[in-house]
Amino acid sequence: MELTKKTHACVRLEKDGRTLVIDPGVFSEEDAAVGADAILVTHEHADHFHEDRLRAGMEANPGAEIWTLASVAEQLSAAFPGRVHTVGEGDTFTAAGFDVEVHGQLHAVIHPDIPRVTNVGFLLDGGTVFHPGDALTVPEGRTVDTLLLPVHAPWNKIAEIIDYVREVAPRRAVDIHDSLLKDHARPIYDSLLDRLGGGTAHGRLTPGTGTALG
């Protein structure tokens, strides 16, 4: 399996000649979902769900399908009948040859005055990689090899991210949700995660670059 980092929270995964894309949002490249056989969306916020990005992927490949939660599915189902599937915590399915488990229910708290939206995370191929969306969800009972780590957001602080890495205890963590993190701040985050992450190998990828998984 090959993972390619796209801008912010979006990633592309390729296996056996098929491609799965997670969370092509407004900060992602315009063609982030083009070429996808399957698209997964964790929640409705624009930095994870951008309708134009999804439409570009779905129109480029008439066989492409989307799996997502109800709040996103209801915005797309009419345009792509039979190709948009609603999922929630505990569901399992196969998308573009990837075995997918759904974990989590709610977005992390941004502020008590802001209502929490639904958020799901996607665990692929029995734990090879986990994308939690905008939450610090721990996939209970599962060992995670590569954790896609939402390293910087209005809803988190570095102490929470460190504790999350410790709790999930993946072999390695790769940064996502990082487009608002300035370059001069990255060494601080890197140092803290490397030093306090409980032995997890931590790294980040420049958008457009990839790494082998599994």
Side-chain angles (χ1 to χ4, degrees):
M1 187 189 303
E2 182 77 16
L3 179 145
T4 300
K5 173 77 165 64
K6 308 301 283 186
T7 301
H8 198 54
C10 182
V11 296
R12 292 175 67 98
L13 297 127
E14 298 178 56
K15 184 180 71 169
D16 299 332
R18 305 187 75 188
T19 300
L20 181 149
V21 173
I22 306 177
D23 280 4
V26 68
F27 299 142
S28 306
E29 295 77 3
E30 291 187 4
D31 64 349
V34 173
D37 298 291
I39 304 168
L40 311 181
V41 180
T42 63
H43 66 288
E44 65 196 73
H45 288 162
D47 57 330
H48 296 254
F49 161 51
H50 190 272
E51 188 170 342
D52 289 349
R53 305 286 191 269
L54 288 171
R55 284 180 176 272
M58 296 291 278
E59 291 169 359
N61 178 5
E65 299 178 76
I66 295 172
W67 282 263
T68 186
L69 36 70
S71 59
V72 174
E74 65 188 15
Q75 300 182 55
L76 298 168
S77 295
F80 303 105
R83 298 169 63 190
V84 181
H85 312 282
T86 301
V87 296
E89 184 175 40
D91 288 340
T92 61
F93 57 93
T94 300
F98 294 81
D99 294 327
V100 185
E101 298 177 12
V102 183
H103 293 264
Q105 298 182 30
L106 291 172
H107 192 287
V109 175
I110 301 171
H111 186 277
D113 290 350
I114 299 175
R116 296 172 73 183
V117 300
T118 306
N119 177 94
V120 295
F122 296 109
L123 185 75
L124 305 184
D125 285 358
T128 300
V129 61
F130 181 56
H131 191 310
D134 274 9
L136 302 181
T137 301
V138 177
E140 297 294 340
R142 294 298 187 189
T143 298
V144 176
D145 185 73
T146 297
L147 173 65
L148 301 179
L149 185 65
V151 70
H152 180 264
W155 49 266
N156 70 26
K157 59 184 180 181
I158 190 63
E160 295 170 328
I161 297 304
I162 291 167
D163 288 345
Y164 181 52
V165 172
R166 290 178 175 181
E167 188 172 5
V168 177
R171 182 178 64 85
R172 66 172 171 175
V174 175
D175 289 351
I176 59 169
H177 214 287
D178 56 355
S179 67
L180 300 181
L181 185 62
K182 296 294 185 180
D183 287 342
H184 64 260
R186 288 183 180 273
I188 300 171
Y189 279 67
D190 291 344
S191 175
L192 289 168
L193 285 162
D194 290 341
R195 182 158 49 93
L196 300 172
T200 291
H202 166 253
R204 50 189 171 87
L205 297 170
T206 302
T209 62
T211 185
L213 302 179

